[in-house]
Amino acid sequence: MAHPALLRAAAAELRRRARRTPLPLPALSSLLSSPPQRPASSFPDPSADAHRRRLIALRRFPHPAAASELLYTKILLPSNLTPASPLSTSSSSSEPADKAPPAPLTWVDKWLPEAARPYAMLARLDKPIGTWLLAWPCMWSITIAAMPGELPDLKMLALFGCGAVLLRGAGCTVNDLLDRDIDNKVERTKSRPFASGVLTPSQGVCFLGFQLLLGLGILLQLNNYSRILGASSLLLVFSYPLMKRFTFWPQAYLGLTFNWGALLGWAAIKESLDPTVVLPLYTAGICWTLDKEDDLRVGVKSTALRFGDLTKYWISGFGAACIGSLALSGYNADLGWPYYPFLTAAAAQLAWQISTVELSNRADCNRKFVSNKWFGALVFSGILCGRLVS
């Protein structure tokens, strides 16, 4: 049984607290009441002993000016200490141990004014890989159309580089305008300007008009044949976002759009098209255009969903078709021998992508996707060197 001195100390503590914050009379009397009398026994009464321990063990007493305390055995403990965790002195243990790291800041976040950032994000200026994939077929075509032994037209390379930035931005704007209701349901796209509510559709339409106006300024510097051919690509740009609702091959349609520069670059130099050169080049670009999205969650279609478990086999087939088409285009254009070692290196880079990618790992898929800029650079270097020695 508890020592009488402990009982007296507990009762004194209760009276002291009662003077600070008076307790209701029934509650105070129940706490200070003595245990009911029971017949004497040669063995200690466990219920009486438990009743006395209730004065000492784990009884909370609120205090208005300070944190509550627990009267536990002979020690007054803070209320955030319990017998189950006697050494817990901080509430931080209830917080999640592993928080997701914040997204890294891009040059858009660091250098652009706050008012311009949503428009830069809308045009995907923070993700230049799309611009590279759009620009490389243009650079290939302009360089392969150069005169033997001469450098490509640097002015045309610069114009098509700027045009790639503008056309890619316009395409992304159209895509986000049409897909804003879908983007709300996909984790990867929830932060896009329209899906997050940072920009309104009317602001997006105005921004689209601004981009198209600048693109028109570039197009007017080309010959008439190229102007007509370039303007016709807008039909592909505006209709691509709708393809995800009607076909499992939207990435193939994206390939038709992204690689239009393979036709336009040659036309800007030659004012005509040579099907034996540009059609294999255009086909190679289409086969090169690959993507993998999580469209299954929102009920839209994608090529990756059509491929299913056979994705790597399909990608390997498209990779082989891409390299074969590039080889045929270079052969028909009479490129010199340096083109083929560079093309072999590009084929090795593509084979590395396909063999090592983890299709279930979005981060790894993105790394392999971004590495395609080096594939484009290898092909461009081969065409340049092959044209200089031809």
Side-chain angles (χ1 to χ4, degrees):
M1 297 179 63
H3 197 279
L6 293 178
L7 297 176
R8 287 195 295 271
E13 177 67 12
L14 292 176
R15 286 193 293 271
R16 181 175 65 82
R17 291 179 178 274
R19 285 195 296 270
R20 291 183 182 177
T21 306
L23 295 174
L25 186 58
L28 186 60
S29 61
S30 65
L31 288 174
L32 297 178
S33 62
S34 59
Q37 300 296 325
R38 295 184 180 273
S41 173
S42 58
F43 297 97
D45 187 352
S47 62
D49 185 66
H51 180 81
R52 290 187 177 90
R53 283 201 301 271
R54 280 200 294 269
L55 293 174
I56 305 170
L58 299 176
R59 178 78 67 178
R60 293 182 181 271
F61 300 98
H63 191 276
S68 61
E69 296 176 340
L70 285 176
L71 188 63
Y72 179 61
T73 63
K74 298 180 182 180
I75 307 171
L76 287 173
L77 299 176
S79 61
N80 60 348
L81 293 183
T82 65
S85 58
L87 297 180
S88 174
T89 58
S90 172
S91 60
S92 61
S93 60
S94 61
E95 297 177 359
D98 51 344
K99 290 184 178 180
L105 295 178
T106 65
W107 71 271
V108 171
D109 301 304
K110 294 178 181 178
W111 302 109
L112 289 187
E114 187 174 355
R117 290 173 195 167
Y119 296 98
M121 295 291 187
L122 183 59
R124 307 289 197 277
L125 296 183
D126 58 321
K127 298 176 181 178
I129 180 59
T131 302
W132 280 115
L133 298 183
L134 188 63
W136 279 130
C138 304
M139 308 304 178
W140 300 346
S141 186
I142 292 171
T143 306
I144 207 171
M147 297 298 295
E150 295 184 5
L151 290 172
D153 190 325
L154 298 181
K155 177 186 175 182
M156 285 296 170
L157 291 177
L159 285 175
F160 274 75
C162 295
V165 175
L166 293 171
L167 186 60
R168 195 269 179 121
C172 291
T173 303
V174 173
N175 181 80
D176 287 7
L177 278 170
L178 297 178
D179 282 356
R180 60 186 184 274
D181 295 331
I182 295 176
D183 290 342
N184 289 330
K185 305 172 185 176
V186 181
E187 188 64 32
R188 180 174 58 87
T189 58
K190 282 182 178 179
S191 60
R192 288 180 178 176
F194 296 136
S196 61
V198 177
L199 292 179
T200 63
S202 59
Q203 290 174 314
V205 171
C206 292
F207 182 57
L208 175 62
F210 175 71
Q211 292 175 98
L212 293 178
L213 185 62
L214 294 179
L216 178 62
I218 293 177
L219 191 63
L220 291 177
Q221 299 184 55
L222 307 181
N223 56 60
N224 290 332
Y225 189 92
S226 301
R227 292 173 186 172
I228 298 173
L229 188 63
S232 62
S233 68
L234 294 179
L235 177 63
L236 296 172
V237 172
F238 290 137
S239 59
Y240 161 68
L242 301 175
M243 291 299 108
K244 287 184 283 187
R245 294 162 172 81
F246 302 113
T247 176
F248 278 102
W249 296 88
Q251 279 75 19
Y253 199 85
L254 179 65
L256 295 174
T257 308
F258 254 57
N259 296 280
W260 198 257
L263 307 177
L264 190 58
W266 180 281
I269 301 297
K270 300 289 190 180
E271 298 192 41
S272 64
L273 290 177
D274 185 348
T276 62
V277 176
V278 298
L279 288 185
L281 192 66
Y282 187 46
T283 302
I286 295 171
C287 295
W288 180 46
T289 303
L290 301 172
D291 196 2
K292 186 177 188 292
E293 302 185 31
D294 52 350
D295 295 331
L296 181 62
R297 299 181 188 177
V298 292
V300 297
K301 298 175 172 63
S302 76
T303 310
L305 297 179
R306 170 60 70 188
F307 293 166
D309 295 335
L310 301 177
T311 296
K312 281 204 173 186
Y313 294 101
W314 280 93
I315 294 176
S316 299
F318 284 126
C322 173
I323 298 300
S325 298
L326 286 171
L328 178 60
S329 179
Y331 176 80
N332 291 338
D334 295 323
L335 293 180
W337 66 266
Y339 172 66
Y340 298 98
F342 277 99
L343 185 60
T344 302
Q349 201 273 345
L350 200 59
W352 166 79
Q353 288 186 52
I354 298 171
S355 62
T356 61
V357 65
E358 297 180 26
L359 296 176
S360 59
N361 186 332
R362 178 171 294 280
D364 187 60
C365 288
N366 184 66
R367 283 191 294 268
K368 298 302 190 298
F369 178 72
V370 171
S371 73
N372 275 287
K373 63 186 177 183
W374 301 116
F375 175 88
L378 286 169
V379 175
F380 173 77
S381 301
I383 294 174
L384 178 62
C385 295
R387 181 52 75 206
L388 288 176
V389 302
S390 61

